[in-house]
Short mmCIF file of all heavy atoms in Angstrom, two decimals:
data_model
loop_
_atom_site.label_atom_id
_atom_site.label_comp_id
_atom_site.label_asym_id
_atom_site.label_seq_id
_atom_site.Cartn_x
_atom_site.Cartn_y
_atom_site.Cartn_z
N THR A 186 -8.46 337.90 210.92
CA THR A 186 -9.36 337.94 209.70
C THR A 186 -9.03 336.74 208.74
O THR A 186 -9.86 336.46 207.90
CB THR A 186 -9.23 339.24 208.92
OG1 THR A 186 -7.84 339.40 208.46
CG2 THR A 186 -9.55 340.44 209.85
N THR A 187 -7.87 336.20 208.88
CA THR A 187 -7.49 335.09 207.91
C THR A 187 -7.22 333.83 208.64
O THR A 187 -8.07 332.86 208.56
CB THR A 187 -6.23 335.53 207.17
OG1 THR A 187 -5.19 335.95 208.13
CG2 THR A 187 -6.53 336.67 206.19
N VAL A 188 -6.13 333.67 209.36
CA VAL A 188 -5.87 332.46 210.09
C VAL A 188 -6.92 332.20 211.12
O VAL A 188 -7.35 331.05 211.37
CB VAL A 188 -4.40 332.57 210.79
CG1 VAL A 188 -4.13 331.32 211.50
CG2 VAL A 188 -3.38 332.79 209.68
N GLY A 189 -7.33 333.26 211.93
CA GLY A 189 -8.32 333.05 212.97
C GLY A 189 -9.61 332.55 212.39
O GLY A 189 -10.27 331.70 212.99
N SER A 190 -9.99 333.16 211.26
CA SER A 190 -11.26 332.68 210.62
C SER A 190 -11.18 331.25 210.15
O SER A 190 -12.13 330.44 210.15
CB SER A 190 -11.61 333.66 209.46
OG SER A 190 -12.79 333.20 208.85
N THR A 191 -9.95 330.86 209.67
CA THR A 191 -9.75 329.49 209.19
C THR A 191 -9.97 328.48 210.37
O THR A 191 -10.60 327.46 210.26
CB THR A 191 -8.38 329.31 208.65
OG1 THR A 191 -8.25 330.16 207.45
CG2 THR A 191 -8.11 327.84 208.19
N TYR A 192 -9.39 328.85 211.52
CA TYR A 192 -9.57 328.07 212.70
C TYR A 192 -11.08 327.94 213.07
O TYR A 192 -11.47 326.89 213.48
CB TYR A 192 -8.82 328.68 213.86
CG TYR A 192 -7.26 328.64 213.78
CD1 TYR A 192 -6.47 329.29 214.70
CD2 TYR A 192 -6.60 327.90 212.78
CE1 TYR A 192 -5.07 329.28 214.60
CE2 TYR A 192 -5.25 327.92 212.69
CZ TYR A 192 -4.49 328.65 213.64
OH TYR A 192 -3.13 328.61 213.50
N ASP A 193 -11.78 329.05 212.95
CA ASP A 193 -13.21 328.97 213.28
C ASP A 193 -13.90 327.93 212.44
O ASP A 193 -14.67 327.15 213.00
CB ASP A 193 -13.89 330.34 212.99
CG ASP A 193 -13.53 331.45 214.00
OD1 ASP A 193 -13.03 331.11 215.02
OD2 ASP A 193 -13.81 332.60 213.64
N ALA A 194 -13.58 327.88 211.12
CA ALA A 194 -14.26 327.00 210.21
C ALA A 194 -13.82 325.51 210.55
O ALA A 194 -14.68 324.59 210.56
CB ALA A 194 -13.84 327.28 208.78
N VAL A 195 -12.58 325.33 210.92
CA VAL A 195 -12.14 323.96 211.29
C VAL A 195 -12.87 323.52 212.58
O VAL A 195 -13.38 322.40 212.58
CB VAL A 195 -10.63 323.97 211.47
CG1 VAL A 195 -10.18 322.62 212.10
CG2 VAL A 195 -9.84 324.17 210.11
N PHE A 196 -12.88 324.35 213.60
CA PHE A 196 -13.54 324.03 214.88
C PHE A 196 -15.02 323.77 214.64
O PHE A 196 -15.58 322.90 215.31
CB PHE A 196 -13.27 325.09 215.86
CG PHE A 196 -11.81 325.27 216.21
CD1 PHE A 196 -11.32 326.55 216.62
CD2 PHE A 196 -10.88 324.30 216.08
CE1 PHE A 196 -10.00 326.78 216.94
CE2 PHE A 196 -9.51 324.45 216.37
CZ PHE A 196 -9.07 325.72 216.81
N ASP A 197 -15.62 324.57 213.86
CA ASP A 197 -17.09 324.46 213.64
C ASP A 197 -17.41 323.09 213.06
O ASP A 197 -18.49 322.57 213.39
CB ASP A 197 -17.61 325.61 212.69
CG ASP A 197 -17.73 326.92 213.43
OD1 ASP A 197 -17.72 326.96 214.67
OD2 ASP A 197 -17.85 327.95 212.77
N GLU A 198 -16.53 322.58 212.23
CA GLU A 198 -16.77 321.28 211.63
C GLU A 198 -16.42 320.15 212.61
O GLU A 198 -17.23 319.24 212.82
CB GLU A 198 -16.04 321.07 210.31
CG GLU A 198 -15.99 319.70 209.72
CD GLU A 198 -17.42 319.22 209.38
OE1 GLU A 198 -18.32 320.08 209.12
OE2 GLU A 198 -17.58 318.02 209.30
N LEU A 199 -15.33 320.29 213.22
CA LEU A 199 -14.89 319.16 214.07
C LEU A 199 -15.76 318.94 215.33
O LEU A 199 -15.90 317.86 215.83
CB LEU A 199 -13.38 319.39 214.60
CG LEU A 199 -12.30 319.35 213.48
CD1 LEU A 199 -10.96 319.44 214.15
CD2 LEU A 199 -12.43 318.09 212.70
N LYS A 200 -16.42 320.07 215.76
CA LYS A 200 -17.23 319.86 217.01
C LYS A 200 -18.51 319.07 216.66
O LYS A 200 -19.19 318.62 217.60
CB LYS A 200 -17.64 321.25 217.53
CG LYS A 200 -18.62 322.03 216.77
CD LYS A 200 -18.79 323.40 217.36
CE LYS A 200 -19.77 324.28 216.54
NZ LYS A 200 -19.93 325.61 217.13
N LYS A 201 -18.70 318.75 215.40
CA LYS A 201 -19.85 317.89 214.99
C LYS A 201 -19.49 316.44 214.94
O LYS A 201 -20.36 315.62 214.71
CB LYS A 201 -20.41 318.37 213.64
CG LYS A 201 -20.87 319.90 213.59
CD LYS A 201 -21.19 320.23 212.15
CE LYS A 201 -21.40 321.70 212.05
NZ LYS A 201 -21.68 322.19 210.70
N TRP A 202 -18.24 316.13 215.06
CA TRP A 202 -17.72 314.78 214.80
C TRP A 202 -17.79 313.93 216.05
O TRP A 202 -17.61 314.49 217.18
CB TRP A 202 -16.25 314.79 214.35
CG TRP A 202 -16.05 315.30 212.94
CD1 TRP A 202 -16.97 315.95 212.19
CD2 TRP A 202 -14.86 315.22 212.16
NE1 TRP A 202 -16.42 316.34 210.97
CE2 TRP A 202 -15.19 315.88 210.94
CE3 TRP A 202 -13.67 314.63 212.39
CZ2 TRP A 202 -14.25 315.98 209.91
CZ3 TRP A 202 -12.65 314.74 211.41
CH2 TRP A 202 -12.93 315.37 210.15
N ARG A 203 -18.04 312.67 215.93
CA ARG A 203 -18.03 311.84 217.11
C ARG A 203 -16.63 311.59 217.57
O ARG A 203 -16.26 311.60 218.72
CB ARG A 203 -18.68 310.43 216.78
CG ARG A 203 -18.72 309.43 217.84
CD ARG A 203 -19.62 308.26 217.58
NE ARG A 203 -21.00 308.75 217.36
CZ ARG A 203 -21.87 309.05 218.32
NH1 ARG A 203 -21.54 308.98 219.58
NH2 ARG A 203 -23.08 309.49 217.99
N LYS A 204 -15.71 311.30 216.63
CA LYS A 204 -14.35 311.08 216.99
C LYS A 204 -13.48 312.23 216.46
O LYS A 204 -13.28 312.40 215.24
CB LYS A 204 -13.77 309.79 216.34
CG LYS A 204 -12.37 309.40 216.77
CD LYS A 204 -11.94 308.06 216.23
CE LYS A 204 -10.54 307.71 216.66
NZ LYS A 204 -10.15 306.40 216.12
N ILE A 205 -13.03 313.14 217.37
CA ILE A 205 -12.29 314.26 216.98
C ILE A 205 -10.79 313.95 216.90
O ILE A 205 -10.26 313.33 217.79
CB ILE A 205 -12.51 315.43 217.98
CG1 ILE A 205 -14.00 315.79 218.01
CG2 ILE A 205 -11.59 316.62 217.70
CD1 ILE A 205 -14.27 316.93 219.04
N PRO A 206 -10.18 314.24 215.73
CA PRO A 206 -8.78 313.88 215.61
C PRO A 206 -7.83 314.66 216.43
O PRO A 206 -8.19 315.79 216.88
CB PRO A 206 -8.54 314.09 214.10
CG PRO A 206 -9.46 315.23 213.76
CD PRO A 206 -10.69 314.96 214.64
N GLU A 207 -6.63 314.20 216.62
CA GLU A 207 -5.61 315.09 217.12
C GLU A 207 -5.33 316.19 216.16
O GLU A 207 -5.36 315.92 214.94
CB GLU A 207 -4.32 314.25 217.37
CG GLU A 207 -4.38 313.13 218.42
CD GLU A 207 -3.06 312.47 218.58
OE1 GLU A 207 -2.11 313.10 219.10
OE2 GLU A 207 -2.99 311.31 218.20
N LEU A 208 -5.08 317.36 216.70
CA LEU A 208 -5.02 318.56 215.73
C LEU A 208 -3.84 319.44 216.06
O LEU A 208 -3.62 319.80 217.24
CB LEU A 208 -6.31 319.32 215.92
CG LEU A 208 -6.65 320.51 214.92
CD1 LEU A 208 -6.90 319.92 213.56
CD2 LEU A 208 -7.81 321.26 215.37
N ARG A 209 -3.18 319.85 215.01
CA ARG A 209 -2.10 320.82 215.15
C ARG A 209 -2.31 321.87 214.13
O ARG A 209 -2.73 321.60 212.96
CB ARG A 209 -0.71 320.21 215.09
CG ARG A 209 -0.42 319.21 216.23
CD ARG A 209 0.92 318.67 216.22
NE ARG A 209 1.14 317.81 217.34
CZ ARG A 209 2.21 317.02 217.56
NH1 ARG A 209 3.18 317.02 216.68
NH2 ARG A 209 2.29 316.24 218.61
N LEU A 210 -2.03 323.13 214.48
CA LEU A 210 -2.37 324.26 213.70
C LEU A 210 -1.11 325.14 213.40
O LEU A 210 -0.33 325.45 214.32
CB LEU A 210 -3.42 325.22 214.38
CG LEU A 210 -4.67 324.46 214.85
CD1 LEU A 210 -5.47 325.47 215.74
CD2 LEU A 210 -5.54 324.01 213.68
N VAL A 211 -0.86 325.45 212.13
CA VAL A 211 0.17 326.34 211.80
C VAL A 211 -0.38 327.72 211.87
O VAL A 211 -1.27 328.10 211.15
CB VAL A 211 0.77 326.04 210.44
CG1 VAL A 211 1.87 327.13 210.02
CG2 VAL A 211 1.31 324.63 210.29
N GLY A 212 0.15 328.62 212.80
CA GLY A 212 -0.39 329.93 212.97
C GLY A 212 0.18 331.07 212.09
O GLY A 212 -0.53 331.93 211.71
N GLN A 213 1.46 330.90 211.77
CA GLN A 213 2.22 331.94 210.92
C GLN A 213 3.55 331.42 210.63
O GLN A 213 4.06 330.54 211.23
CB GLN A 213 2.25 333.29 211.73
CG GLN A 213 2.78 333.16 213.14
CD GLN A 213 4.31 332.96 213.17
OE1 GLN A 213 5.03 333.48 212.39
NE2 GLN A 213 4.79 332.28 214.22
N TYR A 214 4.19 332.08 209.60
CA TYR A 214 5.52 331.73 209.27
C TYR A 214 6.25 332.97 208.73
O TYR A 214 7.07 332.90 207.82
CB TYR A 214 5.68 330.53 208.33
CG TYR A 214 4.76 330.59 207.06
CD1 TYR A 214 5.25 331.11 205.89
CD2 TYR A 214 3.46 330.13 207.14
CE1 TYR A 214 4.49 331.14 204.73
CE2 TYR A 214 2.66 330.16 205.99
CZ TYR A 214 3.20 330.68 204.78
OH TYR A 214 2.42 330.70 203.66
N HIS A 215 5.81 334.21 209.26
CA HIS A 215 6.33 335.41 208.65
C HIS A 215 7.80 335.65 208.73
O HIS A 215 8.35 336.36 207.94
CB HIS A 215 5.57 336.58 209.38
CG HIS A 215 6.04 336.81 210.79
ND1 HIS A 215 5.68 335.91 211.78
CD2 HIS A 215 6.96 337.67 211.34
CE1 HIS A 215 6.23 336.34 212.90
NE2 HIS A 215 7.00 337.40 212.69
N ASP A 216 8.53 334.98 209.67
CA ASP A 216 9.92 335.14 209.83
C ASP A 216 10.66 333.84 209.61
O ASP A 216 11.85 333.78 210.00
CB ASP A 216 10.28 335.77 211.19
CG ASP A 216 9.71 334.96 212.32
OD1 ASP A 216 9.06 333.95 212.13
OD2 ASP A 216 9.99 335.36 213.52
N ASP A 217 10.05 332.84 209.07
CA ASP A 217 10.66 331.54 208.86
C ASP A 217 11.85 331.74 207.88
O ASP A 217 11.62 332.35 206.84
CB ASP A 217 9.70 330.60 208.21
CG ASP A 217 10.24 329.21 207.99
OD1 ASP A 217 10.93 329.08 206.95
OD2 ASP A 217 10.09 328.30 208.86
N PRO A 218 13.00 331.32 208.20
CA PRO A 218 14.20 331.52 207.36
C PRO A 218 14.01 330.99 205.91
O PRO A 218 14.45 331.65 204.93
CB PRO A 218 15.30 330.76 208.04
CG PRO A 218 14.91 330.65 209.47
CD PRO A 218 13.44 330.63 209.46
N GLY A 219 13.31 329.89 205.78
CA GLY A 219 13.03 329.37 204.39
C GLY A 219 12.13 330.29 203.58
O GLY A 219 12.38 330.46 202.38
N TYR A 220 11.13 330.83 204.25
CA TYR A 220 10.24 331.77 203.62
C TYR A 220 10.98 333.03 203.24
O TYR A 220 10.83 333.58 202.10
CB TYR A 220 9.07 332.10 204.54
CG TYR A 220 8.21 333.30 204.25
CD1 TYR A 220 7.49 333.39 203.09
CD2 TYR A 220 8.16 334.35 205.11
CE1 TYR A 220 6.71 334.44 202.82
CE2 TYR A 220 7.42 335.43 204.95
CZ TYR A 220 6.62 335.48 203.78
OH TYR A 220 5.83 336.60 203.50
N ILE A 221 11.72 333.61 204.10
CA ILE A 221 12.49 334.83 203.79
C ILE A 221 13.47 334.62 202.71
O ILE A 221 13.59 335.46 201.76
CB ILE A 221 13.24 335.29 205.11
CG1 ILE A 221 12.32 335.62 206.19
CG2 ILE A 221 14.10 336.54 204.77
CD1 ILE A 221 11.26 336.67 205.94
N THR A 222 14.20 333.50 202.65
CA THR A 222 15.12 333.21 201.62
C THR A 222 14.42 333.03 200.24
O THR A 222 14.90 333.49 199.26
CB THR A 222 15.95 331.97 202.02
OG1 THR A 222 16.66 332.18 203.15
CG2 THR A 222 16.87 331.56 200.83
N ALA A 223 13.29 332.36 200.21
CA ALA A 223 12.53 332.17 198.98
C ALA A 223 12.13 333.56 198.41
O ALA A 223 12.24 333.78 197.22
CB ALA A 223 11.34 331.36 199.20
N LEU A 224 11.66 334.42 199.31
CA LEU A 224 11.27 335.75 198.82
C LEU A 224 12.48 336.53 198.26
O LEU A 224 12.48 337.12 197.15
CB LEU A 224 10.62 336.57 199.99
CG LEU A 224 9.29 336.22 200.44
CD1 LEU A 224 8.92 336.97 201.70
CD2 LEU A 224 8.28 336.62 199.36
N ALA A 225 13.59 336.45 199.00
CA ALA A 225 14.84 337.12 198.52
C ALA A 225 15.30 336.55 197.20
O ALA A 225 15.73 337.28 196.29
CB ALA A 225 15.93 337.00 199.59
#
Side-chain angles (χ1 to χ4, degrees):
T186 62
T187 53
V188 179
S190 179
T191 300
Y192 292 172
D193 286 346
V195 170
F196 299 150
D197 284 345
E198 174 58 24
L199 293 185
K200 69 184 181 183
K201 303 172 186 175
W202 291 14
R203 180 167 300 280
K204 185 176 182 181
I205 297 177
E207 294 182 70
L208 189 67
R209 293 183 180 173
L210 310 169
V211 179
Q213 49 76 33
Y214 51 93
H215 70 284
D216 57 356
D217 182 278
Y220 164 64
I221 299 301
T222 297
L224 288 171

